[in-house]
Amino acid sequence: AGIALELPWQVVPTVAPVASRRLTMIGDSVAAGTGEPGVVPWPRRVADVLGLELDDRSRVGATTASALRRIDE
């Protein structure tokens, strides 16, 4: 009986493949980084490791309001 209750939570859903592997990052200074020479921000590292195209819209000093305005850019 316990297995019947638990089994649905153990099944991994499938996701259809897409033609483009692109990551869009909207974030604040944590995602944007410091701009220090030789320092690679974490979104770029993730994109490089996973082989993704990166659309990095993170900005130092960003707020929720400023991020929402940039979505339509």
Side-chain angles (χ1 to χ4, degrees), residues 30-54:
V30 174
T34 61
E36 191 174 326
V39 176
V40 180
W42 71 266
R44 169 53 49 205
R45 290 180 185 262
V46 169
D48 289 347
V49 167
L50 298 177
L52 303 173
E53 178 184 340
L54 177 63

